Amino acid sequence: MLQPSAAFLSRARPHSVARWLFAVAGLIVAMVVIGGITRLTESGLSITTWKPISGIVPPLTDADWQAEFANYRKIPEYAAFNQGMTLAGFKGIFFWEYLHRVLGRIIGLAFALPLLWFAVRRQIPAGYGWRLVALLALGGFQGAIGWWMVASGLSERTDVSHVRLAVHLLTALTILAGIVWTALDLIALHRNPLSCPARLTRVAVAALALLFVQLVYGAFTAGLDAGYAFASWPLMGDALFPAGVPLVDPAWRNAVDNPVVVQFIHRWWAFAAAAALTWLAVAATRTGSKAGFWVVGLVTLQIMLGIATLMTGVQIDVAVAHQANAALLLIATVFAAHACGRRTA
């Protein structure tokens, strides 16, 4: 007769759990894309209330639509930019914010329900349950962060806080990275029962840290509409850094709140991040992983898309591709970092 611990191990299904996690990761990438479209179409403030449960039901009657539109007409964004908007125009921006929120709920259910299923059937390998619960909790917190972001644009501002936007986006990407890393640990466990969770090596920490900063500045650039400041490359106008740019005090605030400075940092930090990612790619390739090739290809594409986003005046399809590719680059980076940190007992 099997001992209890052996019986538990025999019921664990790391490969099945990993496949489920990769599916959730795919949904999060879709969420990042929809979030980018929502931002670029200025749709994020079209829903002025947060109803986690009943909010799943869209306006169904003309009276419902008129009530939603009336709420929108009360906020500063409408008075500043959208006076005279028709109900049809409002429905257009409402669609993207509604889709963004609904997809968030779908992701929550797609994570919580299978997690419960796997847990009840004791198919989660020992030591991974706490990690999955932590990711679920962070996902729930992400919903609250989303509302915290939206609330910043409903009273005094005409848009959401770019700092809160950065927190919202980076939390989503942290969840994405955590899910992919956990799935890769489970795949390794499926292939070799003696494998241990991968560790973060120094090269991986350095590459992820520089990429993190670049992602933060990508969010700042989007939130401040800094991409519209200069539509030229490699110069900003006729100089590397334009003369006569109004600066604010204290000086450090320029790196957070000044659109021109933010665009400048985002332009050139990209190459520091690319160098670190290339270093990681080489290290991953030496382990026999092909992830390094993906990292180099995606970071090259990301720089090209960033330049194209500027030079097209933030054309929406190019800008959305830039944001989507950022999520894919993060996934490839996690694969490479995981390859460098794989180990067995």
Side-chain angles (χ1 to χ4, degrees):
M1 180 177 178
L2 290 173
Q3 295 297 319
S5 59
F8 179 81
L9 287 173
S10 69
R11 297 173 66 179
R13 296 292 182 268
H15 192 248
S16 296
V17 176
R19 286 189 297 178
W20 154 60
L21 290 175
F22 280 130
V24 175
L27 289 174
I28 294 176
V29 172
M31 184 71 161
V32 170
V33 172
I34 297 300
I37 296 173
T38 301
R39 172 62 193 166
L40 289 163
T41 55
E42 303 290 347
S43 301
L45 296 177
S46 58
I47 302 179
T48 59
T49 58
W50 187 40
K51 300 175 181 178
I53 306 300
S54 60
I56 191 68
V57 181
L60 299 176
T61 66
D62 185 64
D64 292 339
W65 278 112
Q66 292 293 347
E68 289 285 350
F69 193 20
N71 288 336
Y72 178 67
R73 292 198 298 269
K74 296 175 184 177
I75 69 172
E77 180 185 79
Y78 175 81
F81 302 116
N82 289 327
Q83 287 196 49
M85 173 181 275
T86 65
L87 180 60
F90 172 71
K91 288 180 179 181
I93 62 172
F94 184 96
F95 169 79
W96 289 112
E97 175 65 5
Y98 175 74
L99 181 61
H100 188 56
R101 295 192 185 196
V102 168
L103 186 54
R105 291 174 172 88
I106 290 172
I107 292 172
L109 291 175
F111 198 100
L113 296 181
L115 175 60
L116 180 62
W117 170 264
F118 285 124
V120 168
R121 295 173 66 86
R122 297 189 175 183
Q123 293 182 348
I124 299 173
Y128 285 88
W130 68 268
R131 200 191 303 188
L132 295 172
V133 170
L135 288 168
L136 176 63
L138 187 57
F141 187 51
Q142 171 72 336
I145 292 173
W147 173 246
W148 174 65
M149 176 189 70
V150 170
S152 69
L154 297 180
S155 55
E156 299 177 0
R157 300 174 57 102
T158 58
D159 57 1
V160 301
S161 162
H162 62 287
V163 173
R164 297 189 187 189
L165 173 67
V167 173
H168 186 51
L169 176 61
L170 269 295
T171 301
L173 295 176
T174 299
I175 295 169
L176 175 62
I179 286 175
V180 172
W181 187 279
T182 301
L184 291 172
D185 274 346
L186 290 167
I187 291 292
L189 184 64
H190 168 70
R191 292 172 178 170
N192 180 4
L194 296 179
S195 70
C196 299
R199 60 185 177 86
L200 276 171
T201 60
R202 283 180 295 179
V203 62
V205 170
L208 285 166
L210 267 68
L211 178 59
F212 178 85
V213 172
Q214 181 65 359
L215 292 170
V216 168
Y217 272 92
F220 284 174
T221 300
L224 290 168
D225 290 328
Y228 296 99
F230 289 92
S232 57
W233 179 268
L235 302 180
M236 300 176 75
D238 56 1
L240 186 65
F241 184 83
V245 174
L247 300 178
V248 299
D249 289 319
W252 65 264
R253 281 190 52 207
N254 288 285
V256 177
D257 297 329
N258 189 319
V260 175
V261 176
V262 165
Q263 190 195 113
F264 178 82
I265 294 173
H266 189 54
R267 282 174 174 234
W268 298 111
W269 189 268
F271 293 94
L277 290 167
T278 301
W279 179 27
L280 174 64
V282 171
T285 301
R286 288 172 177 167
T287 70
S289 170
K290 296 181 180 179
F293 296 102
W294 284 99
V295 170
V296 171
L298 288 170
V299 76
T300 301
L301 178 60
Q302 186 66 357
I303 290 173
M304 294 171 62
L305 286 170
I307 295 170
T309 299
L310 289 175
M311 297 190 71
T312 59
V314 194
Q315 186 173 309
I316 187 168
D317 53 346
V318 180
V320 170
H322 184 51
Q323 184 158 323
N325 194 71
L328 297 179
L329 174 58
L330 175 62
I331 292 172
T333 302
V334 171
F335 268 79
H338 193 276
C340 292
R342 281 197 296 251
R343 57 203 175 105
T344 57

